Amino acid sequence: MRITLKRYPRWAVWSLAINGLLILAIAFVVVRQQIWSKRSLASSALPSVQLEMPSAIPNPELGERHQLNYQQWVTLLATEAEVAAKNRPEHLHILLGDSISLWFPPELLPENKTWLNQGISGETSLGLLRRLELIDKTEPEVIFVMIGINDLLKGIPDYTVVANQSLIVRYLQRVHPETKIVIQSVLPHSAEKATWEGKARLLEISNDRIQNINQNLADLAQKQNIIYLDLYSLFADTQGNLRTEFSSDGLHLNQEGYKLWRTALQVTTQLSEQ
């Protein structure tokens, strides 16, 4: 009897390796948490842009950034993207998303990379799609996308969330053909344990629904031959809810949550370079 060995596409090998190693990573982080005391997310953490800003547009403090409206945010991120496009930093990695990406502490991002954080608080999949041209002239090695929870909070249908992410992926592939695209799962929330001010709206969104969207995103990644990073499984407890030790309010991440996400990014970037 002849046994035929099937050749799997490279994206599949990457995804399997990445998500398999992340299972080991979470075990490590959980053990570490039992040893280390918890530390809340530093209130002074700024969005990650490891690029020198032009003197005409100073890098504002957290309080000032908090006061920006959406268009002001877009203008600021456009300026930062222009700096990246002009300076052509080596090993440029871009984060695209909402507040969860926005508040990633710069010091926790994987080293030896230049990180351009293009997250905006309250961002939706449509909003992100409409501002992708801001990074057209950059030359990133990897682009990480995480978007969708604000769509659900605004009552946008699941199929629209997935459809917009499909358009996002296709746009990025067309404009950045040499760049590795990583689509990340939507994170769960802490359900009844959440303390976020919009808890009532949050509870209207079941984590089973989020998981269904994530399955569609995984299918999208397979179809488009890109990497799917399953963060949901890393952050969820046995009930499928966001683990409280990784969250500040049941929706956003705390310092330990970003440490875990850092591990996921490290594994992903290392394997994608092979």
Side-chain angles (χ1 to χ4, degrees), residues 7 13 17 34 95 105 109 112 119 164 191 195 216 237-239 256:
R7 292 180 61 85
V13 176
Q34 295 174 350
L95 295 178
L109 286 163
N112 302 318
N164 285 342
T195 59
N216 280 279
D237 60 19
T238 55
Q239 285 75 46
E256 293 305 317

Side-chain angles (χ1 to χ4, degrees), residues 243-260:
R243 297 166 59 128
T244 55
E245 61 264 38
F246 293 135
S247 178
S248 59
D249 57 8
L251 174 63
H252 301 92
L253 301 180
N254 60 15
Q255 192 87 344
E256 293 305 317
Y258 283 108
K259 288 178 182 177
L260 179 57

Side-chain angles (χ1 to χ4, degrees), residues 74-88:
V74 172
T75 300
L76 176 61
L77 296 186
T79 300
E80 295 175 345
E82 288 174 5
V83 174
K86 179 180 179 180
N87 294 344
R88 292 285 189 266

Side-chain angles (χ1 to χ4, degrees), residues 103-117:
W103 300 121
F104 206 125
E107 67 275 11
L108 291 183
L109 286 163
E111 300 173 350
N112 302 318
K113 315 291 180 188
T114 301
W115 290 91
L116 179 63
N117 193 325

